[in-house]
Amino acid sequence: MPKKRKSGGKTGSSKGNFGKVQCVNCGRFVARSKAKAVTRRTNLVDSRMFGELKKSGTIIMGGSTKAYYCISCSIHKRMYAQRAKDERRTD
Ligand SMILES: [Zn+2]
């Protein structure tokens, strides 16, 4: 059977199985190597307060949240763009 993509749509090394993660948007379970991971910074204080505290010289710690999206949702949200058929396989 012809292969659509060299990697089979996965990332990473030659490791066999990856754990499953849940898509934040639709709830589908996908392998971690196939999911799109997005890390975002989270602010603990709101923006107006943040400006005031910054003026007074306060060091504000922020957290970060990691979210996983399945391929269908990441295409829908335009994180990825579809490539033309002849551009897909590169080998
Ligand atoms: Zn999804």
Side-chain angles (χ1 to χ4, degrees):
M1 213 173 98
K3 247 183 141 180
K4 210 173 188 182
R5 288 170 190 83
K6 192 181 176 185
S7 63
K10 293 180 178 183
T11 60
S13 61
S14 59
K15 187 185 167 185
N17 291 320
F18 279 85
K20 293 269 162 65
V21 288
Q22 196 170 17
C23 175
V24 179
N25 197 42
C26 68
R28 175 190 272 177
F29 281 97
V30 282
R32 207 179 63 77
S33 59
K34 273 196 170 181
K36 171 82 177 165
V38 179
T39 312
R40 286 202 185 93
R41 285 193 60 128
T42 50
N43 292 325
L44 301 170
V45 288
D46 68 307
S47 57
R48 249 183 282 161
M49 193 78 150
F50 188 84
E52 277 182 39
L53 287 168
K54 201 95 180 182
K55 270 183 201 167
S56 62
T58 316
I59 298 167
I60 305 157
M61 298 299 286
S64 64
T65 51
K66 201 168 194 184
Y68 291 99
Y69 289 92
C70 70
I71 294 298
S72 311
C73 290
S74 54
I75 288 170
H76 181 73
K77 285 179 172 277
R78 300 190 180 176
M79 294 168 179
Y80 285 124
Q82 271 188 349
R83 285 181 293 169
K85 215 169 195 178
D86 54 328
E87 282 178 45
R88 278 177 202 165
R89 196 177 164 183
T90 50
D91 60 6

Coordinates of all heavy atoms in Angstrom, one line a residue:
M1 N 0.8 -1.2 0.0 CA 0.0 0.0 0.0 C 0.9 1.2 0.0 O 1.8 1.3 0.8 CB -0.9 0.0 1.3 CG -2.2 0.6 1.0 SD -3.3 0.4 2.5 CE -3.0 1.9 3.3
P2 N 0.6 2.2 -0.9 CA 1.4 3.4 -0.9 C 1.2 4.2 0.4 O 0.1 4.3 1.0 CB 0.9 4.2 -2.1 CG -0.5 3.7 -2.3 CD -0.5 2.3 -1.9
K3 N 2.3 4.8 0.8 CA 2.3 5.6 2.1 C 2.0 7.1 1.7 O 2.6 7.6 0.8 CB 3.6 5.5 2.8 CG 3.6 4.8 4.1 CD 4.9 4.8 4.7 CE 4.8 5.0 6.2 NZ 6.1 4.9 6.9
K4 N 1.1 7.7 2.4 CA 0.7 9.1 2.2 C 1.8 10.0 2.7 O 2.2 10.9 2.1 CB -0.6 9.4 2.9 CG -1.4 10.4 2.2 CD -2.8 10.5 3.0 CE -3.7 11.4 2.3 NZ -5.0 11.5 3.0
R5 N 2.3 9.7 3.9 CA 3.4 10.5 4.5 C 4.5 9.6 5.0 O 4.3 8.4 5.4 CB 2.8 11.2 5.7 CG 1.9 12.4 5.3 CD 1.2 13.0 6.5 NE 0.2 13.9 6.0 CZ -1.0 13.5 5.6 NH1 -1.4 12.3 5.7 NH2 -1.9 14.4 5.2
K6 N 5.7 10.1 4.9 CA 6.9 9.4 5.3 C 6.8 8.9 6.8 O 7.2 7.8 7.1 CB 8.1 10.2 5.1 CG 9.4 9.5 5.1 CD 10.6 10.5 4.9 CE 11.9 9.8 5.1 NZ 13.0 10.7 5.0
S7 N 6.3 9.8 7.6 CA 6.3 9.6 9.1 C 5.0 8.9 9.5 O 4.9 8.5 10.7 CB 6.4 10.9 9.8 OG 5.3 11.7 9.5
G8 N 4.0 8.7 8.6 CA 2.8 8.2 8.9 C 1.9 9.1 9.8 O 1.0 8.7 10.5
G9 N 2.2 10.4 9.8 CA 1.5 11.4 10.5 C 1.9 11.5 12.0 O 1.3 12.2 12.7
K10 N 3.0 10.8 12.3 CA 3.5 10.9 13.7 C 4.8 11.6 13.8 O 5.5 11.8 12.8 CB 3.7 9.4 14.2 CG 2.4 8.6 14.3 CD 2.7 7.2 14.8 CE 1.5 6.4 15.0 NZ 1.8 5.1 15.5
T11 N 5.1 12.1 15.0 CA 6.4 12.7 15.3 C 7.2 11.8 16.2 O 6.6 10.9 16.8 CB 6.2 14.1 15.9 OG1 5.5 13.9 17.2 CG2 5.4 15.0 15.0
G12 N 8.4 12.2 16.4 CA 9.2 11.5 17.4 C 10.1 10.4 16.8 O 10.3 10.3 15.5
S13 N 10.6 9.6 17.6 CA 11.6 8.6 17.2 C 11.0 7.3 16.8 O 9.9 7.2 16.5 CB 12.6 8.4 18.4 OG 11.9 7.9 19.5
S14 N 11.8 6.2 16.9 CA 11.3 4.9 16.5 C 10.6 4.2 17.7 O 10.4 3.0 17.6 CB 12.5 4.1 16.1 OG 13.4 4.0 17.1
K15 N 10.2 5.0 18.7 CA 9.5 4.4 19.8 C 8.2 3.8 19.3 O 7.5 4.4 18.5 CB 9.3 5.5 20.9 CG 8.6 5.0 22.1 CD 8.3 6.2 23.0 CE 7.4 5.7 24.2 NZ 7.0 6.8 25.0
G16 N 7.8 2.7 19.8 CA 6.6 2.0 19.3 C 5.3 2.7 19.7 O 4.6 3.2 18.8
N17 N 5.0 2.6 21.0 CA 3.7 3.1 21.4 C 3.8 4.4 22.2 O 4.8 4.5 23.0 CB 2.9 2.1 22.2 CG 2.5 0.9 21.4 OD1 2.1 1.1 20.2 ND2 2.6 -0.3 21.9
F18 N 2.9 5.3 22.0 CA 2.9 6.5 22.8 C 1.6 6.5 23.6 O 0.6 5.9 23.2 CB 2.9 7.7 21.9 CG 4.3 8.1 21.4 CD1 4.8 7.5 20.3 CD2 5.0 9.1 22.1 CE1 6.1 7.9 19.9 CE2 6.3 9.4 21.7 CZ 6.8 8.8 20.6
G19 N 1.6 7.2 24.7 CA 0.4 7.2 25.5 C -0.7 8.1 24.8 O -0.4 8.8 23.9
K20 N -1.9 7.9 25.3 CA -3.0 8.6 24.7 C -3.3 9.9 25.4 O -3.1 10.0 26.7 CB -4.3 7.8 24.7 CG -4.2 6.6 23.8 CD -4.8 6.8 22.5 CE -4.4 5.9 21.4 NZ -4.8 4.6 21.4
V21 N -3.6 11.0 24.7 CA -4.0 12.2 25.3 C -5.3 12.6 24.7 O -5.7 12.2 23.6 CB -2.9 13.4 25.0 CG1 -1.7 13.2 25.8 CG2 -2.7 13.5 23.6
Q22 N -6.0 13.4 25.5 CA -7.4 13.8 25.1 C -7.3 15.2 24.4 O -6.7 16.1 24.9 CB -8.3 13.8 26.3 CG -9.8 13.8 25.9 CD -10.7 13.6 27.0 OE1 -10.3 13.7 28.2 NE2 -11.9 13.3 26.7
C23 N -8.0 15.3 23.3 CA -8.1 16.6 22.6 C -9.0 17.6 23.5 O -10.0 17.2 24.0 CB -8.8 16.4 21.2 SG -9.1 17.9 20.4
V24 N -8.5 18.8 23.6 CA -9.1 19.8 24.4 C -10.4 20.2 23.8 O -11.4 20.5 24.5 CB -8.2 21.0 24.7 CG1 -8.8 22.0 25.5 CG2 -6.9 20.5 25.3
N25 N -10.5 20.2 22.5 CA -11.6 20.8 21.8 C -12.8 19.8 21.6 O -13.9 20.1 21.9 CB -11.2 21.3 20.4 CG -12.2 22.2 19.7 OD1 -12.7 23.0 20.4 ND2 -12.4 22.0 18.5
C26 N -12.5 18.6 21.1 CA -13.5 17.6 20.8 C -13.6 16.4 21.8 O -14.5 15.7 21.8 CB -13.4 17.1 19.4 SG -12.0 16.1 19.0
G27 N -12.5 16.2 22.5 CA -12.5 15.1 23.5 C -12.0 13.8 22.9 O -12.0 12.7 23.6
R28 N -11.6 13.7 21.7 CA -11.1 12.5 21.1 C -9.7 12.1 21.7 O -8.9 12.9 22.0 CB -10.9 12.7 19.6 CG -10.3 11.5 18.9 CD -9.9 11.9 17.5 NE -11.1 11.7 16.6 CZ -11.0 12.0 15.3 NH1 -10.0 12.5 14.7 NH2 -12.1 11.8 14.5
F29 N -9.5 10.8 21.9 CA -8.2 10.3 22.4 C -7.3 10.0 21.2 O -7.7 9.2 20.3 CB -8.4 9.0 23.2 CG -8.9 9.3 24.6 CD1 -10.3 9.3 24.9 CD2 -8.0 9.7 25.6 CE1 -10.7 9.6 26.2 CE2 -8.4 10.0 26.9 CZ -9.8 9.9 27.2
V30 N -6.2 10.6 21.2 CA -5.2 10.4 20.2 C -3.8 10.1 20.8 O -3.6 10.5 21.9 CB -5.0 11.6 19.2 CG1 -6.2 11.7 18.3 CG2 -4.9 12.9 20.0
A31 N -3.0 9.4 20.0 CA -1.6 9.2 20.5 C -0.9 10.5 20.7 O -1.1 11.4 19.9 CB -0.9 8.3 19.5
R32 N 0.0 10.6 21.7 CA 0.7 11.8 22.0 C 1.6 12.3 20.8 O 1.8 13.5 20.6 CB 1.5 11.7 23.2 CG 1.7 13.0 24.0 CD 2.6 12.8 25.2 NE 3.9 12.3 24.9 CZ 4.9 13.1 24.5 NH1 4.7 14.4 24.3 NH2 6.1 12.6 24.2
S33 N 2.1 11.3 20.1 CA 2.9 11.6 18.9 C 2.2 12.2 17.7 O 2.7 12.9 16.9 CB 3.7 10.4 18.5 OG 2.8 9.4 18.1
K34 N 0.8 12.0 17.7 CA 0.0 12.5 16.6 C -0.7 13.8 17.0 O -1.1 14.6 16.2 CB -1.1 11.5 16.2 CG -0.6 10.5 15.2 CD -1.8 9.8 14.6 CE -1.3 9.0 13.4 NZ -2.4 8.3 12.7
A35 N -0.7 14.1 18.3 CA -1.5 15.3 18.8 C -0.6 16.5 18.6 O 0.6 16.4 18.6 CB -1.9 15.1 20.2
K36 N -1.3 17.7 18.5 CA -0.6 19.0 18.4 C -0.6 19.6 19.8 O -1.7 19.8 20.4 CB -1.3 19.8 17.4 CG -0.8 21.3 17.4 CD 0.4 21.4 16.5 CE 0.8 22.9 16.4 NZ 2.1 23.1 15.9
A37 N 0.6 19.8 20.4 CA 0.7 20.3 21.7 C 0.9 21.9 21.7 O 1.7 22.4 20.9 CB 1.9 19.7 22.5
V38 N 0.1 22.5 22.5 CA 0.2 24.0 22.5 C 0.4 24.4 24.0 O -0.4 24.0 24.9 CB -1.1 24.6 22.0 CG1 -1.1 26.2 22.1 CG2 -1.4 24.2 20.6
T39 N 1.4 25.2 24.2 CA 1.7 25.7 25.5 C 1.4 27.2 25.6 O 1.8 27.9 24.7 CB 3.2 25.5 25.9 OG1 3.5 24.2 25.6 CG2 3.4 25.7 27.4
R40 N 0.6 27.5 26.6 CA 0.2 28.9 26.7 C 0.5 29.4 28.1 O 0.4 28.7 29.1 CB -1.3 29.1 26.5 CG -1.7 29.0 25.0 CD -3.0 29.6 24.7 NE -3.4 29.4 23.4 CZ -4.1 28.3 23.0 NH1 -4.6 27.5 23.8 NH2 -4.4 28.2 21.7
R41 N 0.8 30.7 28.2 CA 1.1 31.3 29.5 C -0.2 31.7 30.1 O -1.2 32.1 29.5 CB 2.0 32.5 29.3 CG 3.4 32.2 29.0 CD 4.2 33.5 29.2 NE 4.1 34.0 30.6 CZ 5.1 34.2 31.3 NH1 6.3 34.1 30.9 NH2 4.9 34.7 32.6
T42 N -0.3 31.5 31.4 CA -1.5 31.9 32.1 C -1.1 33.0 33.1 O -0.1 32.9 33.8 CB -2.1 30.7 32.9 OG1 -1.1 30.1 33.7 CG2 -2.8 29.7 32.0
N43 N -2.0 34.0 33.1 CA -1.8 35.1 34.1 C -2.6 34.9 35.3 O -3.8 34.6 35.2 CB -2.1 36.5 33.4 CG -1.2 36.8 32.3 OD1 0.0 36.5 32.4 ND2 -1.7 37.4 31.3
L44 N -1.9 35.1 36.4 CA -2.6 34.9 37.7 C -3.4 36.1 38.1 O -4.4 36.0 38.9 CB -1.7 34.4 38.8 CG -0.9 33.2 38.5 CD1 0.2 33.0 39.5 CD2 -1.8 32.0 38.5
V45 N -3.0 37.3 37.6 CA -3.7 38.5 37.9 C -4.2 39.1 36.6 O -3.6 38.9 35.6 CB -2.8 39.5 38.7 CG1 -2.5 39.1 40.1 CG2 -1.5 39.8 37.9
D46 N -5.3 39.9 36.7 CA -5.8 40.4 35.5 C -5.0 41.6 35.0 O -4.1 42.1 35.7 CB -7.3 40.9 35.7 CG -7.4 42.1 36.6 OD1 -6.9 42.0 37.8 OD2 -8.1 43.0 36.3
S47 N -5.2 42.0 33.7 CA -4.3 42.9 33.0 C -4.1 44.3 33.7 O -3.0 44.8 33.7 CB -4.7 43.0 31.5 OG -6.0 43.5 31.5
R48 N -5.2 44.8 34.2 CA -5.1 46.1 34.8 C -4.3 46.1 36.1 O -3.4 46.9 36.3 CB -6.5 46.6 35.2 CG -7.0 47.8 34.3 CD -8.3 48.3 34.7 NE -9.3 47.4 34.2 CZ -10.6 47.4 34.7 NH1 -10.9 48.2 35.7 NH2 -11.5 46.6 34.2
M49 N -4.5 45.1 36.9 CA -3.7 44.8 38.1 C -2.3 44.6 37.7 O -1.4 45.0 38.4 CB -4.3 43.7 38.8 CG -3.9 43.5 40.2 SD -4.7 44.6 41.3 CE -4.7 43.7 42.8
F50 N -2.1 43.9 36.7 CA -0.7 43.5 36.2 C 0.1 44.7 36.0 O 1.3 44.8 36.4 CB -0.8 42.6 35.0 CG 0.5 42.0 34.5 CD1 0.9 40.8 35.1 CD2 1.3 42.6 33.6 CE1 2.1 40.3 34.7 CE2 2.5 42.1 33.2 CZ 2.9 40.9 33.7
G51 N -0.5 45.7 35.3 CA 0.2 46.9 34.9 C 0.6 47.7 36.2 O 1.8 48.2 36.3
E52 N -0.3 47.8 37.1 CA 0.0 48.5 38.4 C 1.1 47.8 39.2 O 2.0 48.5 39.7 CB -1.3 48.6 39.2 CG -2.2 49.7 38.8 CD -3.4 49.8 39.7 OE1 -3.3 49.6 40.9 OE2 -4.5 50.0 39.1
L53 N 1.0 46.5 39.3 CA 2.0 45.8 40.0 C 3.4 45.9 39.4 O 4.4 46.0 40.1 CB 1.6 44.3 40.2 CG 0.4 44.0 41.1 CD1 0.0 42.6 40.9 CD2 0.9 44.3 42.6
K54 N 3.4 45.9 38.1 CA 4.7 46.0 37.3 C 5.3 47.4 37.6 O 6.5 47.4 37.7 CB 4.4 45.8 35.8 CG 5.6 45.4 35.0 CD 5.6 43.9 34.8 CE 6.9 43.5 34.0 NZ 6.9 42.1 33.8
K55 N 4.5 48.4 37.7 CA 5.0 49.8 37.9 C 5.7 49.8 39.3 O 6.7 50.5 39.5 CB 3.9 50.8 37.9 CG 3.7 51.4 36.5 CD 2.6 52.4 36.5 CE 2.0 52.6 35.2 NZ 0.7 53.4 35.2
S56 N 5.1 49.2 40.3 CA 5.6 49.2 41.6 C 6.8 48.2 41.8 O 7.4 48.2 42.8 CB 4.5 48.9 42.6 OG 4.1 47.6 42.4
G57 N 7.1 47.5 40.7 CA 8.3 46.7 40.7 C 8.1 45.3 41.3 O 9.1 44.7 41.8
T58 N 6.9 44.8 41.3 CA 6.7 43.5 41.8 C 7.0 42.4 40.8 O 6.8 42.6 39.6 CB 5.2 43.3 42.2 OG1 4.8 44.5 42.8 CG2 4.9 42.1 43.0
I59 N 7.6 41.3 41.2 CA 7.9 40.2 40.4 C 6.7 39.3 40.4 O 6.3 38.8 41.5 CB 9.2 39.4 40.8 CG1 10.4 40.4 40.7 CG2 9.4 38.2 39.9 CD1 11.6 39.8 41.4
I60 N 6.1 39.1 39.2 CA 4.9 38.3 39.1 C 5.2 37.0 38.4 O 5.6 37.0 37.3 CB 3.7 39.0 38.4 CG1 3.5 40.4 39.0 CG2 2.5 38.2 38.3 CD1 2.9 41.4 38.1
M61 N 4.9 35.9 39.2 CA 5.2 34.6 38.6 C 3.9 34.2 37.8 O 2.8 34.5 38.1 CB 5.4 33.5 39.7 CG 6.6 33.8 40.5 SD 8.1 33.8 39.6 CE 8.3 32.1 39.3
G62 N 4.2 33.5 36.7 CA 3.1 33.1 35.8 C 3.2 31.6 35.6 O 4.3 31.0 35.6
G63 N 2.1 31.0 35.4 CA 2.1 29.5 35.1 C 2.0 29.3 33.6 O 1.9 30.2 32.8
S64 N 2.0 28.1 33.2 CA 1.8 27.7 31.8 C 0.9 26.5 31.8 O 1.0 25.6 32.6 CB 3.1 27.5 31.1 OG 3.8 26.4 31.6
T65 N 0.0 26.4 30.8 CA -0.8 25.3 30.6 C -0.5 24.6 29.3 O -0.3 25.3 28.3 CB -2.3 25.7 30.6 OG1 -2.5 26.8 29.7 CG2 -2.8 26.1 32.0
K66 N -0.5 23.3 29.2 CA -0.3 22.6 28.0 C -1.6 22.0 27.5 O -2.3 21.3 28.3 CB 0.8 21.5 28.3 CG 1.4 21.0 27.0 CD 2.6 20.2 27.3 CE 3.5 20.0 26.1 NZ 4.6 19.1 26.4
A67 N -1.9 22.2 26.3 CA -3.2 21.7 25.7 C -2.8 20.9 24.5 O -1.9 21.2 23.8 CB -4.1 22.8 25.4
Y68 N -3.6 19.8 24.3 CA -3.4 18.9 23.1 C -4.6 19.0 22.2 O -5.7 19.0 22.7 CB -3.2 17.5 23.6 CG -1.9 17.2 24.3 CD1 -1.8 17.2 25.7 CD2 -0.7 17.1 23.6 CE1 -0.6 16.9 26.3 CE2 0.5 16.8 24.2 CZ 0.5 16.8 25.6 OH 1.7 16.6 26.3
Y69 N -4.3 19.1 20.9 CA -5.4 19.1 19.9 C -5.2 17.9 19.0 O -4.0 17.6 18.6 CB -5.4 20.4 19.1 CG -5.8 21.6 19.9 CD1 -4.9 22.4 20.6 CD2 -7.1 22.0 20.0 CE1 -5.3 23.5 21.3 CE2 -7.5 23.1 20.7 CZ -6.6 23.8 21.4 OH -7.0 24.9 22.1
C70 N -6.3 17.3 18.6 CA -6.2 16.3 17.6 C -5.9 16.9 16.2 O -6.1 18.1 16.1 CB -7.4 15.4 17.5 SG -8.9 16.2 16.9
I71 N -5.6 16.1 15.2 CA -5.3 16.7 13.9 C -6.5 17.4 13.3 O -6.3 18.5 12.7 CB -4.7 15.6 12.9 CG1 -3.4 15.0 13.5 CG2 -4.6 16.1 11.5 CD1 -2.3 16.0 13.5
S72 N -7.7 16.8 13.4 CA -8.8 17.4 12.8 C -9.1 18.8 13.3 O -9.4 19.7 12.6 CB -10.1 16.5 13.0 OG -9.8 15.2 12.7
C73 N -9.0 18.9 14.7 CA -9.3 20.2 15.3 C -8.2 21.2 15.0 O -8.4 22.4 14.8 CB -9.4 20.0 16.8 SG -10.9 19.2 17.3
S74 N -6.9 20.8 14.9 CA -5.8 21.7 14.7 C -5.9 22.2 13.3 O -5.5 23.4 13.0 CB -4.5 21.1 15.0 OG -4.3 19.9 14.3
I75 N -6.4 21.4 12.3 CA -6.6 21.9 11.0 C -7.8 22.9 10.9 O -7.7 24.0 10.3 CB -6.8 20.8 10.0 CG1 -5.5 20.0 9.7 CG2 -7.4 21.2 8.6 CD1 -5.6 18.7 9.0
H76 N -8.8 22.5 11.7 CA -10.0 23.4 11.8 C -9.6 24.8 12.4 O -10.1 25.8 12.0 CB -11.1 22.7 12.6 CG -12.3 23.6 12.7 ND1 -13.2 23.7 11.7 CD2 -12.8 24.3 13.8 CE1 -14.2 24.5 12.1 NE2 -14.0 24.8 13.3
K77 N -8.8 24.8 13.4 CA -8.3 26.0 14.0 C -7.2 26.7 13.3 O -6.6 27.7 13.8 CB -7.9 25.7 15.5 CG -9.1 25.5 16.4 CD -8.6 25.1 17.8 CE -9.8 25.1 18.7 NZ -10.2 26.4 19.2
R78 N -6.8 26.1 12.2 CA -5.7 26.7 11.3 C -4.4 26.8 12.0 O -3.7 27.7 11.8 CB -6.2 28.0 10.7 CG -7.4 27.8 9.9 CD -7.8 29.0 9.1 NE -9.0 28.7 8.4 CZ -9.7 29.5 7.7 NH1 -9.2 30.7 7.5 NH2 -10.8 29.1 7.1
M79 N -4.1 25.8 12.8 CA -2.7 25.7 13.3 C -1.8 25.1 12.2 O -0.6 25.4 12.1 CB -2.7 24.8 14.5 CG -3.4 25.3 15.7 SD -3.6 24.0 16.9 CE -4.5 24.8 18.2
Y80 N -2.4 24.2 11.5 CA -1.7 23.6 10.3 C -2.4 24.0 9.1 O -3.6 24.3 9.1 CB -1.8 22.0 10.4 CG -1.0 21.4 11.3 CD1 -1.5 20.5 12.3 CD2 0.4 21.5 11.3 CE1 -0.7 19.8 13.2 CE2 1.2 20.9 12.2 CZ 0.6 20.0 13.2 OH 1.4 19.4 14.0
A81 N -1.7 24.0 8.0 CA -2.3 24.2 6.7 C -2.1 22.9 5.8 O -1.1 22.3 6.0 CB -1.7 25.4 5.9
Q82 N -3.1 22.6 5.1 CA -3.0 21.4 4.3 C -2.0 21.7 3.1 O -2.1 22.7 2.5 CB -4.4 21.0 3.7 CG -5.1 20.1 4.6 CD -6.4 19.6 3.9 OE1 -6.8 20.1 2.9 NE2 -7.0 18.6 4.5
R83 N -1.2 20.7 2.9 CA -0.2 20.8 1.7 C -0.8 20.1 0.5 O -1.6 19.2 0.6 CB 1.1 20.2 2.1 CG 1.9 21.1 3.0 CD 3.2 20.4 3.3 NE 3.1 19.2 4.1 CZ 4.1 18.3 4.3 NH1 5.3 18.6 3.8 NH2 3.9 17.2 5.0
A84 N -0.3 20.6 -0.6 CA -0.8 19.9 -1.9 C -0.3 18.5 -1.9 O 0.7 18.1 -1.2 CB -0.2 20.7 -3.1
K85 N -1.0 17.7 -2.7 CA -0.7 16.2 -2.7 C 0.7 15.9 -3.0 O 1.3 15.0 -2.5 CB -1.7 15.6 -3.7 CG -2.2 14.2 -3.3 CD -3.3 13.8 -4.2 CE -4.0 12.6 -3.6 NZ -5.2 12.2 -4.4
D86 N 1.3 16.6 -4.0 CA 2.7 16.3 -4.4 C 3.7 16.8 -3.4 O 4.9 16.5 -3.5 CB 2.9 16.8 -5.8 CG 2.6 18.2 -6.0 OD1 1.7 18.7 -5.3 OD2 3.3 18.9 -6.8
E87 N 3.3 17.7 -2.5 CA 4.2 18.3 -1.5 C 4.3 17.4 -0.2 O 5.2 17.6 0.6 CB 3.8 19.7 -1.1 CG 4.1 20.7 -2.2 CD 3.6 22.1 -1.7 OE1 3.8 22.4 -0.5 OE2 3.1 22.8 -2.5
R88 N 3.3 16.5 -0.1 CA 3.2 15.8 1.2 C 4.3 14.9 1.5 O 4.9 15.0 2.6 CB 1.9 15.0 1.2 CG 0.7 15.8 1.5 CD -0.6 15.0 1.4 NE -1.7 15.9 1.2 CZ -2.9 15.5 0.8 NH1 -3.1 14.2 0.6 NH2 -3.9 16.3 0.7
R89 N 4.6 14.1 0.6 CA 5.7 13.1 0.9 C 7.0 13.6 0.4 O 7.2 13.9 -0.7 CB 5.3 11.8 0.2 CG 6.1 10.6 0.7 CD 5.7 9.4 0.0 NE 6.7 8.3 0.3 CZ 6.6 7.1 -0.3 NH1 5.6 6.8 -1.0 NH2 7.6 6.3 0.0
T90 N 7.9 13.7 1.4 CA 9.3 14.2 1.1 C 10.3 13.1 1.3 O 10.9 13.0 2.4 CB 9.6 15.4 1.9 OG1 9.3 15.2 3.2 CG2 8.7 16.6 1.4
D91 N 10.6 12.3 0.3 CA 11.7 11.3 0.4 C 12.1 10.9 -1.0 O 11.4 11.2 -2.0 CB 11.4 10.2 1.3 CG 10.2 9.3 0.8 OD1 9.7 9.6 -0.3 OD2 9.8 8.4 1.6
Ligands
ZN1 ZN -10.2 17.3 18.5

